[in-house]
Amino acid sequence: MTDYMQNLGKNARQASALLARATTEQKNNALLAIFEQLKTQKNQIMSANQQDLQNGREKGLDTALLDRLELTDSRFDTMLQGLKDVVALPDPIGEITDMTYRPSGIQLGKMRVPLGVVGMIYESRPNVTIEASSLALKSSNAIILRGGSEAFFSNQALAKCVQDGLEQAGLPKSAVQVIETTDRSAVGELITMSEFVDVIIPRGGKGLIERISNEAKIPVIKHLDGNCHTYIEQSANFDMAITVCVNAKTQRYAPCNTTETLLIDNAIANDFLPKIAHALVNQDNAMQLRVCEQSLSILQNEEKLQSHISKATEEDWDTEYLAPILAVKIVADMNEAIAHINRHGSHHTDAILTNDYAKSLQFLREVDSSSVMINASTRFADGFEYGLGAEIGISTDKIHARRPVGLHGLTSQKWVVFGHGEIRQ
Amino acid sequence: MTDYMQNLGKNARQASALLARATTEQKNNALLAIFEQLKTQKNQIMSANQQDLQNGREKGLDTALLDRLELTDSRFDTMLQGLKDVVALPDPIGEITDMTYRPSGIQLGKMRVPLGVVGMIYESRPNVTIEASSLALKSSNAIILRGGSEAFFSNQALAKCVQDGLEQAGLPKSAVQVIETTDRSAVGELITMSEFVDVIIPRGGKGLIERISNEAKIPVIKHLDGNCHTYIEQSANFDMAITVCVNAKTQRYAPCNTTETLLIDNAIANDFLPKIAHALVNQDNAMQLRVCEQSLSILQNEEKLQSHISKATEEDWDTEYLAPILAVKIVADMNEAIAHINRHGSHHTDAILTNDYAKSLQFLREVDSSSVMINASTRFADGFEYGLGAEIGISTDKIHARRPVGLHGLTSQKWVVFGHGEIRQ
């Protein structure tokens, strides 16, 4: 196992040096060649996927997992379109910014460069194999992929297309390598071979990510969870607040940028809470509300709501439901709201609804989250909405890239100096 | 120990929330109050330093270490001036950049924010206590300091001034805390309490830094070594190349941005090598040259040089001398030079001397180092020369900040969204 992994690492390191030199045209040609290979080899990919699905059913995998594993025609088309989207993105590599003359006479700037070799560990969605490969390639990084064992055959078939496309475009095949074993010790090797791997990107369950963060000897771009808040400050326009809050919670439940706790100023609670509660319950998929004691008493005479309300426990403030459940809490003022968010939130995405100028700026500054929003739905916090093109991973870390992480998250900057023979005095 | 460290951590976390709200004026007032406290308490600081020096002599510390430990009057003044310099730096916190409207109508930007709590582990220079405190404060971070045990009393006396100054300016004393024990397990606690510490900055020997990187459960901004190169490409102006190369090696030996290996194109070696060799040897502090076999044969008839030349071994290409010794190697062409640098260098700072336009751009792109220079001395790679004001630490990592790391290295960015009630479709 060690020899096998070390070999992958060496190959990736060599490929990354060649990728660093590749022109934008070469990289785009490789992406287009992969696009063609996927179309040509679609039958092989689909039957590999069928084999994974059959193995999964025999092993008794649950429906949700089998669903994620399945490559439908429409998912296949989305995957193809994703490649075209990455071709259309500007090449981040080589960009020089912040050029200034220093008093010594040197001209100083920053050049965007690849990270080198990315190790990616992910769940059983085969499309991630193509997404991650294309983003790594566009940003001139080599990548070593370790997909879920359930998607073993699908990932092999997809990786073959990628390598065929790379070869056709004259780029090294080992720029994208899939770990061809389901031996779990491969992950342990991958996350500790710091000589060959520059960054680890895990996607998957919280347990997996925590284990990887603890054991890695390489920087990890990690995302743990999304416990997002929408706070209704007393000056908020009620109609806007209801529309935005309903969208933030109900537009979709599963994404990590969905609001999980609604905070309401005490001054408007009597008036606003019944309105928003009815709006949330009158959805196709009616909400369950876990409310604080004061909310419970305000809502006690609203008969229609009773079957949808229960008293929140302390645990609710810390819970990412990913389900039609919303926690609701009345706060004395914005300071309490900010303190609640910074304590119970996951530093992911939090929004305020307000028309108060000073408070909007204070909220923006003091909430310690990757995305902080005024008068907008927390659901906007993603790579496509932010114009990053695509997301390679999602990060709640403060170091390096903060969520969402697009192509730039796979790059670093180096200082460049244009001199004319200057020496240090 | 655990209780003691957890307590420091909790205090730091609380202080960091207050610092995040502090205005630029409050932070500058605190820095000026620390300045005054240092002047007022100079006698106490100096006698604490004398005590450290005496203990050091009794323990038999070597002269170099005792020298680093000593707070002379001039070093004290430099430390005071450093505080004024940090006051003069622009406040990085709250800066919003890259504001754009997205098609959805939201206005998206990035706001610069503090990292939170910094844990700093450093060698026995007491002035680092003030430098690190002032940079942390200016960037709204709380900091926990663990200085070398040899500087124990000096650091306590300095930390008292810092805390007195903070208190006077109405900021929390626990924004800057010095670990008041020499128990080595304190470091182990500091680098693993991820709940309270956001980043670790170690300064010191390679062994210490490697150990910290391996054991930390928190991101580490680390710097290992500086094995820098100056490469003389065949089109270089000889006079410029000699001036720059002599400066890069001899202006000072100890800094990590000093050139340790000189690479020379084969096409000009016969002509250029004797010239540069004489220039390097005709210094006040004559160089020892460790040269490749071909260089040895070119220089064999230069009598004056013989006592300064010896044959290099493979190990020389990997060595950071920090001494009047320079490795010299003739390379076939720029590709060999780049390959040598990327293989043997430490990804710190490397320079090319050239007048070839295409090659200068290729070198800039393909050398994988924190700083890459054309026609300038590698000695320019530092925070003051780059206009960063001061350095908190030095990083050869690719993730987050790359060397030199100034105030911005102690910050992160969060996404900010200004909306008008937008919802996700």
Side-chain angles (χ1 to χ4, degrees):
Chain A
M1 179 50 58
T2 302
D3 282 353
Y4 171 72
M5 289 302 295
Q6 293 275 316
N7 213 32
L8 285 191
K10 273 179 211 159
N11 292 342
R13 183 59 83 209
Q14 279 170 9
S16 80
L18 296 174
L19 284 174
R21 299 184 193 177
T23 63
T24 308
E25 192 186 8
Q26 281 178 301
K27 297 188 287 183
N28 285 341
N29 284 344
L31 290 166
L32 294 172
I34 295 167
F35 178 93
E36 294 301 332
Q37 290 293 341
L38 286 173
K39 287 210 293 191
T40 311
Q41 300 183 39
K42 183 172 175 183
N43 285 342
Q44 292 92 309
I45 296 165
M46 289 310 215
S47 63
N49 188 243
Q50 284 304 321
Q51 194 178 345
D52 283 330
L53 284 167
Q54 192 183 324
N55 293 348
R57 280 187 290 261
E58 281 166 14
K59 271 193 230 156
L61 297 185
D62 68 34
T63 340
L65 211 158
L66 287 170
D67 176 59
R68 284 204 293 275
L69 183 55
E70 189 175 4
L71 264 181
T72 61
D73 277 335
S74 113
R75 284 178 183 171
F76 197 90
D77 290 343
T78 307
M79 204 165 69
L80 285 175
Q81 183 55 43
L83 278 166
K84 294 262 180 178
D85 291 344
V86 175
V87 170
L89 289 176
D91 188 347
I93 300 305
E95 173 200 64
I96 298 184
T97 54
D98 304 322
M99 285 290 283
T100 49
Y101 280 102
R102 299 294 310 148
S104 58
I106 63 171
Q107 198 178 2
L108 176 72
K110 285 178 181 174
M111 180 188 278
R112 200 163 282 285
V113 294
L115 290 177
V117 178
V118 176
M120 175 119 181
I121 299 154
Y122 54 107
E123 70 291 61
S124 301
R125 292 179 206 268
N127 58 313
V128 174
T129 306
I130 297 300
E131 260 177 52
S133 302
S134 60
L135 289 171
L137 183 54
K138 184 83 186 208
S139 54
S140 296
N141 290 287
I143 192 165
I144 300 175
L145 296 161
R146 163 63 178 222
S149 58
E150 302 82 4
F152 186 71
F153 293 107
S154 311
N155 287 338
Q156 303 264 53
L158 291 166
K160 184 176 180 306
C161 294
V162 175
Q163 296 198 331
D164 289 349
L166 285 165
E167 200 166 31
Q168 206 177 322
L171 289 178
K173 280 171 72 166
S174 47
V176 176
Q177 297 175 100
V178 166
I179 296 177
E180 295 190 340
T181 161
T182 54
D183 187 333
R184 290 175 73 96
S185 70
V187 172
E189 297 271 349
L190 182 65
I191 64 177
T192 52
M193 48 188 207
S194 56
E195 193 185 343
F196 300 124
V197 182
D198 297 292
V199 62
I200 295 289
I201 302 180
R203 283 167 63 158
K206 197 168 172 171
L208 172 79
I209 292 175
E210 278 178 347
R211 187 173 67 85
I212 286 171
S213 303
N214 279 331
E215 293 173 15
K217 302 287 178 214
I218 299 167
V220 177
I221 296 181
K222 66 173 176 293
H223 167 260
L224 290 171
D225 47 11
N227 182 12
C228 303
H229 299 74
T230 295
Y231 161 56
I232 318 297
E233 193 272 331
Q234 56 180 289
S235 70
N237 175 297
F238 279 16
D239 288 340
M240 184 197 286
I242 289 167
T243 310
V244 168
C245 181
V246 167
N247 182 266
K249 179 63 211 182
T250 71
Q251 197 243 354
R252 279 178 68 198
Y253 303 123
C256 50
N257 55 17
T258 295
T259 287
E260 303 290 15
T261 298
L262 171 64
L263 300 171
I264 302 172
D265 262 357
N266 186 43
I268 54 167
N270 283 323
D271 196 5
F272 182 75
L273 177 57
K275 290 191 173 71
I276 181 77
H278 282 289
L280 286 163
V281 165
N282 289 335
Q283 297 291 311
D284 290 346
N285 206 340
M287 284 288 142
Q288 287 298 317
L289 306 178
R290 307 267 175 90
V291 307
C292 67
E293 193 145 8
Q294 191 187 342
S295 300
L296 205 59
S297 111
I298 291 173
L299 298 174
Q300 66 186 349
N301 296 324
E302 307 281 340
E303 273 184 33
K304 276 193 183 166
L305 298 177
Q306 295 316 306
S307 60
H308 298 282
I309 299 177
S310 59
K311 189 159 168 256
T313 63
E314 268 298 306
E315 214 190 326
D316 282 296
W317 313 136
D318 299 317
T319 303
E320 182 181 16
Y321 300 113
L322 303 174
I325 305 170
L326 179 69
V328 180
K329 188 176 172 28
I330 294 169
V331 290
D333 55 22
M334 189 169 77
N335 284 333
E336 189 185 330
I338 293 173
H340 180 98
I341 291 169
N342 285 341
R343 177 167 166 214
H344 295 283
S346 60
H347 308 289
H348 187 297
T349 301
D350 300 286
I352 185 174
L353 271 292
T354 186
N355 197 36
D356 185 302
Y357 174 77
K359 284 187 181 162
S360 71
L361 294 188
Q362 190 190 340
F363 187 86
L364 215 56
R365 173 143 179 178
E366 294 184 11
V367 170
D368 180 24
S369 298
S370 307
S371 287
V372 186
M373 304 186 168
I374 306 167
N375 295 343
S377 167
T378 55
R379 288 279 295 115
F380 279 112
D382 85 29
F384 283 99
E385 289 294 336
Y386 282 6
L388 306 181
E391 287 179 65
I392 180 73
I394 38 185
S395 169
T396 45
D397 289 347
K398 284 193 182 174
I399 297 293
H400 191 58
R402 285 182 98 173
R403 180 183 200 287
V405 180
L407 270 188
H408 272 210
L410 293 179
T411 65
S412 175
Q413 287 179 304
K414 67 183 179 191
W415 296 96
V416 291
V417 170
F418 294 86
H420 320 78
E422 283 82 3
I423 58 171
R424 181 91 180 258
Q425 300 302 329
Chain B
M1 179 50 58
T2 302
D3 282 354
Y4 170 72
M5 289 301 296
Q6 293 275 315
N7 214 33
L8 285 191
K10 273 180 209 157
N11 292 342
R13 182 60 82 208
Q14 279 170 11
S16 80
L18 297 173
L19 284 174
R21 298 185 194 177
T23 63
T24 308
E25 193 186 9
Q26 281 179 300
K27 296 189 286 184
N28 284 340
N29 284 344
L31 290 167
L32 294 171
I34 295 167
F35 177 93
E36 294 301 331
Q37 290 292 343
L38 286 173
K39 288 210 293 192
T40 312
Q41 300 184 38
K42 181 172 177 183
N43 284 343
Q44 293 91 311
I45 295 165
M46 288 310 213
S47 63
N49 188 243
Q50 284 304 321
Q51 194 178 343
D52 283 329
L53 284 167
Q54 191 183 326
N55 293 348
R57 280 187 290 263
E58 279 164 16
K59 271 194 231 156
L61 297 186
D62 67 35
T63 341
L65 213 159
L66 287 170
D67 175 59
R68 284 202 293 275
L69 183 54
E70 189 175 5
L71 264 181
T72 61
D73 276 335
S74 113
R75 284 178 185 174
F76 197 89
D77 290 344
T78 307
M79 201 164 71
L80 286 175
Q81 183 55 43
L83 279 166
K84 293 262 182 181
D85 291 344
V86 175
V87 170
L89 289 176
D91 187 347
I93 300 305
E95 174 200 63
I96 298 184
T97 54
D98 304 321
M99 286 290 282
T100 48
Y101 279 101
R102 298 292 311 147
S104 59
I106 62 172
Q107 200 177 1
L108 176 73
K110 285 177 180 175
M111 180 188 279
R112 201 164 281 285
V113 294
L115 290 177
V117 178
V118 177
M120 174 119 181
I121 300 155
Y122 54 107
E123 70 291 63
S124 301
R125 294 179 204 267
N127 59 313
V128 174
T129 306
I130 297 300
E131 260 177 52
S133 302
S134 60
L135 289 171
L137 182 54
K138 184 82 185 210
S139 54
S140 295
N141 290 288
I143 192 165
I144 300 175
L145 296 161
R146 163 61 178 224
S149 58
E150 303 82 3
F152 186 70
F153 293 107
S154 312
N155 286 338
Q156 303 264 52
L158 291 166
K160 185 176 179 308
C161 294
V162 174
Q163 296 198 331
D164 289 351
L166 285 164
E167 200 165 31
Q168 206 177 322
L171 289 178
K173 280 170 71 166
S174 47
V176 177
Q177 297 175 99
V178 165
I179 297 178
E180 296 188 339
T181 162
T182 54
D183 187 333
R184 290 177 72 98
S185 70
V187 172
E189 298 271 348
L190 182 65
I191 65 176
T192 51
M193 49 188 205
S194 57
E195 194 185 343
F196 300 123
V197 182
D198 297 292
V199 62
I200 296 289
I201 303 179
R203 282 167 60 158
K206 196 167 172 172
L208 172 79
I209 292 175
E210 276 177 350
R211 187 172 69 85
I212 286 171
S213 303
N214 279 332
E215 294 173 12
K217 302 287 180 214
I218 300 167
V220 177
I221 296 180
K222 66 173 176 292
H223 167 260
L224 290 171
D225 46 12
N227 182 13
C228 303
H229 300 73
T230 296
Y231 161 56
I232 318 298
E233 193 273 330
Q234 56 181 290
S235 70
N237 175 297
F238 280 15
D239 288 341
M240 184 196 287
I242 289 168
T243 310
V244 167
C245 181
V246 167
N247 182 266
K249 179 63 211 182
T250 71
Q251 197 243 352
R252 279 177 69 198
Y253 304 123
C256 51
N257 55 19
T258 295
T259 287
E260 304 288 15
T261 298
L262 171 64
L263 300 171
I264 302 172
D265 262 358
N266 186 43
I268 53 167
N270 283 326
D271 196 3
F272 182 75
L273 178 56
K275 291 190 173 72
I276 181 78
H278 282 289
L280 286 163
V281 165
N282 288 336
Q283 296 292 308
D284 291 345
N285 207 341
M287 284 288 143
Q288 287 298 319
L289 305 179
R290 307 266 175 92
V291 306
C292 67
E293 195 146 6
Q294 191 187 343
S295 300
L296 206 59
S297 110
I298 292 174
L299 297 176
Q300 65 185 351
N301 296 324
E302 307 282 338
E303 273 184 36
K304 276 194 184 166
L305 298 177
Q306 295 316 306
S307 61
H308 297 282
I309 297 177
S310 59
K311 186 156 171 260
T313 63
E314 267 300 305
E315 214 190 328
D316 281 295
W317 313 135
D318 298 317
T319 303
E320 183 182 15
Y321 299 114
L322 304 175
I325 305 170
L326 180 69
V328 180
K329 188 175 172 31
I330 294 169
V331 291
D333 56 22
M334 189 168 76
N335 285 333
E336 189 186 332
I338 293 173
H340 180 98
I341 291 169
N342 285 341
R343 176 167 168 215
H344 295 284
S346 60
H347 308 290
H348 188 298
T349 301
D350 300 287
I352 184 174
L353 272 292
T354 185
N355 196 37
D356 185 303
Y357 173 78
K359 285 189 182 162
S360 71
L361 294 188
Q362 191 190 340
F363 187 87
L364 214 56
R365 174 144 178 177
E366 294 184 11
V367 170
D368 181 23
S369 299
S370 307
S371 287
V372 187
M373 303 185 168
I374 307 166
N375 295 344
S377 167
T378 55
R379 288 279 295 114
F380 278 113
D382 84 29
F384 284 99
E385 289 294 337
Y386 281 5
L388 306 180
E391 285 178 67
I392 181 73
I394 36 184
S395 168
T396 44
D397 289 346
K398 284 193 179 171
I399 297 293
H400 193 58
R402 285 183 98 172
R403 182 184 199 289
V405 180
L407 270 187
H408 273 210
L410 293 179
T411 66
S412 174
Q413 287 179 306
K414 67 183 178 192
W415 297 96
V416 292
V417 170
F418 294 85
H420 321 77
E422 283 82 2
I423 59 172
R424 181 89 179 259
Q425 300 303 329

